[in-house]
mmCIF file of all heavy atoms in Angstrom:
data_model
loop_
_atom_site.group_PDB
_atom_site.id
_atom_site.type_symbol
_atom_site.label_atom_id
_atom_site.label_comp_id
_atom_site.label_asym_id
_atom_site.label_seq_id
_atom_site.Cartn_x
_atom_site.Cartn_y
_atom_site.Cartn_z
ATOM 1 N N LEU A 149 43.463 -87.034 -6.696
ATOM 2 C CA LEU A 149 44.041 -85.823 -6.123
ATOM 3 C C LEU A 149 43.753 -85.568 -4.727
ATOM 4 O O LEU A 149 44.619 -85.256 -3.839
ATOM 5 C CB LEU A 149 43.443 -84.546 -6.815
ATOM 6 C CG LEU A 149 43.904 -84.417 -8.337
ATOM 7 C CD1 LEU A 149 42.960 -83.414 -9.089
ATOM 8 C CD2 LEU A 149 45.271 -84.047 -8.412
ATOM 9 N N GLY A 150 42.588 -86.117 -4.198
ATOM 10 C CA GLY A 150 42.157 -86.023 -2.750
ATOM 11 C C GLY A 150 43.166 -86.933 -2.033
ATOM 12 O O GLY A 150 43.605 -86.630 -0.901
ATOM 13 N N MET A 151 43.422 -88.145 -2.544
ATOM 14 C CA MET A 151 44.363 -89.005 -1.895
ATOM 15 C C MET A 151 45.696 -88.415 -1.720
ATOM 16 O O MET A 151 46.340 -88.675 -0.710
ATOM 17 C CB MET A 151 44.349 -90.494 -2.680
ATOM 18 C CG MET A 151 43.177 -91.230 -2.423
ATOM 19 S SD MET A 151 42.642 -91.647 -0.829
ATOM 20 C CE MET A 151 43.905 -92.882 -0.369
ATOM 21 N N THR A 152 46.163 -87.737 -2.756
ATOM 22 C CA THR A 152 47.417 -87.028 -2.656
ATOM 23 C C THR A 152 47.450 -86.037 -1.502
ATOM 24 O O THR A 152 48.385 -86.029 -0.610
ATOM 25 C CB THR A 152 47.818 -86.276 -3.971
ATOM 26 O OG1 THR A 152 47.642 -87.234 -5.075
ATOM 27 C CG2 THR A 152 49.205 -85.808 -3.887
ATOM 28 N N GLY A 153 46.393 -85.199 -1.448
ATOM 29 C CA GLY A 153 46.331 -84.326 -0.270
ATOM 30 C C GLY A 153 46.252 -85.028 1.060
ATOM 31 O O GLY A 153 46.887 -84.458 2.069
ATOM 32 N N LEU A 154 45.475 -86.065 1.078
ATOM 33 C CA LEU A 154 45.391 -86.842 2.366
ATOM 34 C C LEU A 154 46.739 -87.463 2.769
ATOM 35 O O LEU A 154 47.026 -87.489 3.952
ATOM 36 C CB LEU A 154 44.364 -87.981 2.137
ATOM 37 C CG LEU A 154 43.603 -88.491 3.206
ATOM 38 C CD1 LEU A 154 42.736 -87.397 3.917
ATOM 39 C CD2 LEU A 154 42.647 -89.653 2.754
ATOM 40 N N GLY A 155 47.535 -87.807 1.736
ATOM 41 C CA GLY A 155 48.870 -88.342 2.100
ATOM 42 C C GLY A 155 49.777 -87.240 2.692
ATOM 43 O O GLY A 155 50.443 -87.481 3.594
ATOM 44 N N VAL A 156 49.641 -85.945 2.060
ATOM 45 C CA VAL A 156 50.441 -84.874 2.725
ATOM 46 C C VAL A 156 49.968 -84.501 4.118
ATOM 47 O O VAL A 156 50.696 -84.408 5.020
ATOM 48 C CB VAL A 156 50.267 -83.633 1.733
ATOM 49 C CG1 VAL A 156 50.953 -82.449 2.378
ATOM 50 C CG2 VAL A 156 50.940 -83.926 0.392
ATOM 51 N N GLY A 157 48.611 -84.536 4.265
ATOM 52 C CA GLY A 157 48.145 -84.186 5.619
ATOM 53 C C GLY A 157 48.505 -85.376 6.530
ATOM 54 O O GLY A 157 48.733 -84.977 7.716
ATOM 55 N N GLY A 158 48.391 -86.660 6.132
ATOM 56 C CA GLY A 158 48.781 -87.738 6.979
ATOM 57 C C GLY A 158 50.265 -87.625 7.486
ATOM 58 O O GLY A 158 50.618 -87.822 8.626
ATOM 59 N N TYR A 159 51.035 -87.269 6.539
ATOM 60 C CA TYR A 159 52.523 -87.179 6.865
ATOM 61 C C TYR A 159 52.733 -85.971 7.907
ATOM 62 O O TYR A 159 53.458 -86.166 8.848
ATOM 63 C CB TYR A 159 53.430 -86.719 5.581
ATOM 64 C CG TYR A 159 54.811 -86.355 5.943
ATOM 65 C CD1 TYR A 159 55.763 -87.493 6.139
ATOM 66 C CD2 TYR A 159 55.165 -85.006 5.902
ATOM 67 C CE1 TYR A 159 56.973 -87.203 6.447
ATOM 68 C CE2 TYR A 159 56.524 -84.874 6.307
ATOM 69 C CZ TYR A 159 57.423 -85.864 6.529
ATOM 70 O OH TYR A 159 58.679 -85.562 6.987
ATOM 71 N N LEU A 160 52.111 -84.865 7.645
ATOM 72 C CA LEU A 160 52.156 -83.750 8.677
ATOM 73 C C LEU A 160 51.652 -84.128 9.978
ATOM 74 O O LEU A 160 52.138 -83.775 10.986
ATOM 75 C CB LEU A 160 51.500 -82.455 8.112
ATOM 76 C CG LEU A 160 52.156 -81.973 6.841
ATOM 77 C CD1 LEU A 160 51.212 -80.938 6.218
ATOM 78 C CD2 LEU A 160 53.523 -81.302 7.226
ATOM 79 N N GLY A 161 50.465 -84.934 9.961
ATOM 80 C CA GLY A 161 49.956 -85.376 11.190
ATOM 81 C C GLY A 161 50.921 -86.343 11.997
ATOM 82 O O GLY A 161 51.024 -86.237 13.206
ATOM 83 N N GLY A 162 51.558 -87.144 11.195
ATOM 84 C CA GLY A 162 52.610 -88.088 11.821
ATOM 85 C C GLY A 162 53.698 -87.194 12.487
ATOM 86 O O GLY A 162 54.249 -87.516 13.597
#
Side-chain angles (χ1 to χ4, degrees):
L149 289 169
M151 288 302 286
T152 306
L154 209 56
V156 173
Y159 174 79
L160 293 168

